[in-house]
Amino acid sequence: MKTIKDKLAVLPDKPGCYLMKNANGEIIYVGKAKVLKNRVRSYFTGSHDGKTQLLVSEITDFEYIVVSSPIEALLLECNLIKQYNPRYNVLLKDDKTYPYIKITNEAHPRLEITRKVLKDKAKYFGPYPNAGAAQEVKKLLDRLYPLRKCQTMPKQVCLYYHLSQCLAPCVYEVDAAQNERIVEAIAKFLDGGHEEMKKELTERMHQAAEEMEFERAKELRDQIRNIEAVMEKQKVTFTDTVDRDIFGFAVEKGWMCIQVFYMRQGKMIQRETTMYPYYGDETEDFMSFVTQFYYDKQQALPREILLPERSEAELLSEWLNVKVLTPKRGKKHELVKMADENARIALQEKFALMSKDEARTIQAVHNLGHVLGIGVAKRIEAFDNSNIQGAEPVSAMVVFTDGRPDKKEYRKFKIKTVEGPDDYGSMREVVRRRYTRLLKENQPLPDLIVIDGGKGQISAAMDVLENELGLYIPVCGLAKDEKHKTAQLLFGDPPEPVDLKRDSYEFYLLQRIQDEVHRFAITFHRQSRGKTMLSSQLDEIPGIGEKRRKLLFKHFGSLTKMREASVEDFRQIGIGDKLAREIIEKLRKLDT
């Protein structure tokens, strides 16, 4: 249950479907949720009825698929239940499918509701999640567009003709062109032109209300709501019955996650998640995966493959001889985005679960010490410098104890003795100041020092420690590649690469430390730059010294509020009208 507890803590705040599994890895229940985080957690909190208690007692794991709307979650749930036939699902286990609105391919076409999409040259629109709403829209269309209503042609006109809802082709000759115009109007409505109809109905509703015809206004209001309910777009089912595979991927901390969604007969029925550490260019590694994915599957290829925009679709299409697209807009683009989003969330869940796994984190600390030959690195201190072309150079230090951040031990340093962008000089100063103080105050020393940098920074730190302070603390460095991603661990004298696997917990621990110290340093640098920029702008105004500058910020809070203030506002803190006008004028010039 610890795995479930940890996964519950990192569930996304998004709509989707969840799949509950038993000890054998079998999917025993599929459900949908407007907010996955709330719905899935509800199974493991509070009291439940007998059936739910029995279900929960068998759950040992779960997975989920994120979608972009509750409608998609509803339709995807239906597809997944049909695919896996989970024994705890009852309502959607039969062969019932969602309804479509169909314009028949006949000499005198009709509107009808159907649950099967056939290759009969008819026009299909949907699917719709609510059969009642679909029926209401059909009724609306029947009233607005006079296509024939009877399935079998009668021998005389019926009530629909007298209500002007049918052209009565049973008795009168109806021009084919007239039928075609009506069909095009209906198709336009169902294909997105319903907004114009909603606008027209809204105007008629307001008019009916003004004329005190409240029943009529209520009927029109209900029609508008039905249109809104039934016309909501969704991506997880298409009307074209095409088999297609949809790929998406995400990368973080040297790992790649690839999501493959399988759409069969226009319905998304399954997904496959693959994660692995990657070492080359992300696009090339992704395309290598896709190529291997289809290497042994060429006898069962889909008709269409959808890839992210940054992929090499032409080569894959030429090799497989199928349509490979990188859609940039529309529903297919949304499908790829959904695959990318699921890949990103899966990676986030992986790293969140890794960071919550205390036993493995502690083991990683022991293993890291063993790899470096230094014993257990119980206390690790990490440094990072931050500056922009030498401006406002700062450094930051974070502390990890037993693999966990110890934030009360974090320290900030403003560089005092180094001018310009001298990273080695800054590292020397900070290491000297930090460990001189620890020695002076008789404070405990770290078991390992991590430097965010390469051989030069490591050598600078070791030189200060050993030759100036007489300390022999192990120092390692985390070198980055050209994309500023952690590439390798450096250690020794001279520093050399350490054989540490990228998919190991030890490497992930070092990445977490590097990310944290970098975040802390960047935050400190931005704060320092902001204060300096604010001070320098006020310092350029004659008559403003340090005391008045502090008074101004205490009263106004920001330069923006000073800029927008009036002369009278400055009088409240004892600043004369002439100086107040100079301050306002200067700040407004700087803003332009």
Side-chain angles (χ1 to χ4, degrees):
M1 288 297 290
K2 187 176 188 302
T3 300
I4 288 181
K5 184 178 179 181
D6 289 342
K7 291 179 76 171
L8 289 173
V10 296
L11 277 166
D13 191 13
K14 294 177 178 291
C17 288
Y18 52 91
L19 300 88
M20 302 298 194
K21 297 181 178 181
N22 63 13
N24 298 322
E26 300 169 338
I27 295 172
I28 58 175
Y29 184 76
V30 173
K32 63 182 181 298
K34 292 181 179 179
V35 180
L36 280 166
K37 177 176 66 177
N38 298 342
R39 184 69 186 97
V40 178
R41 285 180 181 177
S42 70
Y43 283 91
F44 304 94
T45 58
S47 59
H48 304 287
D49 58 26
K51 176 207 167 187
T52 306
Q53 288 178 356
L54 182 62
L55 165 65
V56 174
S57 70
E58 292 195 35
I59 297 172
T60 59
D61 195 8
F62 67 86
E63 62 176 281
Y64 53 87
I65 299 176
V66 175
V67 295
S68 60
S69 76
I71 294 295
E72 290 179 16
L74 179 69
L75 299 178
L76 179 58
E77 178 193 36
C78 178
N79 296 339
L80 292 172
I81 289 172
K82 292 179 186 303
Q83 175 71 13
Y84 295 108
N85 196 30
R87 62 191 180 91
Y88 280 104
N89 283 95
V90 177
L91 296 177
L92 296 174
K93 261 186 163 180
D94 58 11
D95 291 331
K96 181 179 179 181
T97 57
Y98 286 97
Y100 294 80
I101 293 179
K102 174 181 178 180
I103 306 177
T104 62
N105 179 36
E106 302 174 84
H108 299 290
R110 294 177 297 111
L111 278 176
E112 63 180 35
I113 305 295
T114 182
R115 295 183 182 273
K116 292 184 179 180
V117 178
L118 305 175
K119 296 182 178 180
D120 55 1
K121 297 184 179 180
K123 296 181 185 295
Y124 293 87
F125 301 89
Y128 303 123
N130 187 305
Q135 286 285 0
E136 287 300 319
V137 170
K138 178 183 177 296
K139 289 178 184 177
L140 171 64
L141 294 173
D142 281 336
R143 287 195 293 269
L144 296 173
Y145 302 104
L147 289 183
R148 75 180 177 103
K149 304 294 186 289
C150 304
Q151 188 167 354
T152 303
M153 288 277 199
K155 295 181 180 180
Q156 59 185 12
V157 297
C158 62
L159 180 62
Y160 289 115
Y161 172 76
H162 295 293
L163 293 173
S164 300
Q165 295 179 17
C166 180
L167 297 176
C170 53
V171 174
Y172 303 105
E173 186 173 340
V174 179
D175 186 6
Q178 189 174 6
N179 275 332
E180 188 174 340
R181 284 193 298 272
I182 297 173
V183 168
E184 287 179 359
I186 295 173
K188 182 181 178 182
F189 174 93
L190 295 173
D191 234 355
H194 57 284
E195 290 296 335
E196 294 180 14
M197 182 60 66
K198 277 173 56 181
K199 185 177 179 181
E200 179 184 333
L201 290 173
T202 301
E203 292 174 356
R204 287 163 58 184
M205 178 184 69
H206 291 318
Q207 183 179 350
E210 289 175 4
E211 296 173 357
M212 310 291 282
E213 297 179 5
F214 298 117
E215 288 296 324
R216 175 61 177 158
K218 181 179 180 296
E219 180 185 347
L220 291 166
R221 183 202 64 188
D222 292 341
Q223 290 175 357
I224 293 168
R225 287 180 177 176
N226 287 330
I227 293 171
E228 290 172 344
V230 80
M231 299 306 293
E232 182 175 342
K233 295 293 182 182
Q234 45 77 34
K235 303 182 291 290
V236 295
T237 307
F238 277 39
T239 61
D240 55 14
T241 70
V242 170
D243 292 353
R244 54 172 62 88
D245 293 345
I246 303 100
F247 287 82
F249 74 94
V251 294
E252 188 178 346
K253 293 182 173 64
W255 279 75
M256 176 175 288
C257 177
I258 297 177
Q259 290 275 338
V260 187
F261 288 144
Y262 299 91
M263 183 171 276
R264 296 298 179 260
Q265 292 297 301
K267 298 179 181 179
M268 192 186 297
I269 61 168
Q270 190 178 352
R271 69 98 171 258
E272 186 175 318
T273 305
T274 304
M275 292 190 209
Y276 57 88
Y278 76 102
Y279 297 90
D281 177 81
E282 60 187 49
T283 301
E284 290 179 3
D285 277 30
F286 168 70
M287 290 307 301
S288 174
F289 172 89
V290 176
T291 303
Q292 294 175 52
F293 181 85
Y294 287 112
Y295 185 78
D296 294 322
K297 300 183 181 180
Q298 294 193 48
Q299 300 305 314
L301 290 172
R303 280 178 53 190
E304 189 174 278
I305 299 171
L306 305 182
L307 302 177
E309 290 184 43
R310 50 200 185 277
S311 309
E312 300 169 347
E314 298 82 4
L315 292 176
L316 190 65
S317 179
E318 184 178 352
W319 175 51
L320 297 176
N321 196 29
V322 298
K323 185 186 292 186
V324 182
L325 305 175
T326 56
K328 296 176 176 57
R329 61 183 65 86
K331 291 179 71 175
K332 293 180 181 179
H333 175 66
E334 292 299 316
L335 278 172
V336 176
K337 278 179 60 180
M338 190 169 79
D340 281 344
E341 174 75 354
N342 276 270
R344 184 187 64 80
I345 290 174
L347 271 183
Q348 288 181 343
E349 179 189 271
K350 173 186 174 63
F351 294 130
L353 292 174
M354 287 176 72
S355 66
K356 287 177 177 292
D357 193 335
E358 188 169 349
R360 295 189 69 174
T361 298
I362 293 174
Q363 188 61 48
V365 172
H366 285 257
N367 292 346
L368 180 61
H370 178 72
V371 168
L372 299 178
I374 62 173
V376 179
K378 183 178 177 65
R379 180 186 176 96
I380 300 174
E381 296 187 356
F383 294 85
D384 187 20
N385 299 326
S386 182
N387 67 80
I388 298 178
Q389 296 178 340
E392 288 297 318
V394 299
S395 187
M397 183 202 75
V398 301
V399 177
F400 274 58
T401 304
D402 290 328
R404 300 288 181 187
D406 193 354
K407 295 194 175 183
K408 68 180 183 299
E409 296 288 322
Y410 287 15
R411 296 292 183 268
K412 302 172 183 177
F413 302 88
K414 283 193 174 183
I415 303 301
K416 299 177 179 178
T417 62
V418 177
E419 294 185 5
D422 183 356
D423 210 25
Y424 301 158
S426 297
M427 187 60 66
R428 285 176 176 274
E429 178 188 327
V430 171
V431 170
R432 184 183 299 114
R433 288 166 56 187
R434 169 64 178 169
Y435 297 106
T436 297
R437 180 163 187 166
L438 289 188
L439 288 172
K440 184 178 179 180
E441 298 177 356
N442 198 27
Q443 296 291 322
L445 297 170
D447 302 302
L448 176 65
I449 296 173
V450 178
I451 303 297
D452 186 55
K455 295 182 179 180
Q457 287 92 338
I458 297 172
S459 298
M462 291 177 65
D463 182 48
V464 172
L465 288 168
E466 296 177 10
N467 298 326
E468 295 186 26
L469 304 177
L471 296 174
Y472 294 88
I473 304 172
V475 180
C476 69
L478 294 172
K480 296 185 175 71
D481 57 21
E482 66 277 1
K483 292 187 176 181
H484 210 65
K485 301 292 184 182
T486 307
Q488 58 185 183
L489 172 64
L490 301 174
F491 184 70
D493 188 11
E496 297 293 340
V498 178
D499 185 17
L500 192 62
K501 293 183 179 180
R502 289 268 290 273
D503 58 347
S504 67
Y505 254 69
E506 295 73 44
F507 198 84
Y508 174 64
L509 172 62
L510 290 170
Q511 286 179 315
R512 285 178 59 211
I513 293 172
Q514 186 180 42
D515 290 346
E516 177 65 359
V517 71
H518 183 66
R519 178 201 65 79
F520 192 50
I522 287 293
T523 302
F524 180 39
H525 184 234
R526 285 172 179 164
Q527 291 171 348
S528 300
R529 284 183 60 220
K531 290 178 181 177
T532 302
M533 290 170 67
L534 293 174
S535 299
S536 63
Q537 289 187 17
L538 287 175
D539 286 342
E540 294 176 6
I541 303 172
I544 299 293
E546 184 177 354
K547 186 175 180 180
R548 273 184 169 164
R549 184 173 66 243
K550 289 181 179 179
L551 183 64
L552 285 165
F553 276 109
K554 183 178 180 180
H555 181 73
F556 290 102
S558 69
L559 284 179
T560 300
K561 289 186 178 178
M562 290 183 217
R563 189 183 300 118
E564 295 172 352
S566 64
V567 173
E568 290 76 12
D569 295 326
F570 286 86
R571 291 176 187 162
Q572 300 174 26
I573 53 174
I575 292 181
D577 292 1
K578 181 179 179 182
L579 180 55
R581 281 192 289 269
E582 289 180 11
I583 294 171
I584 295 169
E585 183 180 355
K586 180 70 174 179
L587 292 179
R588 288 177 179 173
K589 282 183 178 179
L590 290 169
D591 190 45
T592 57

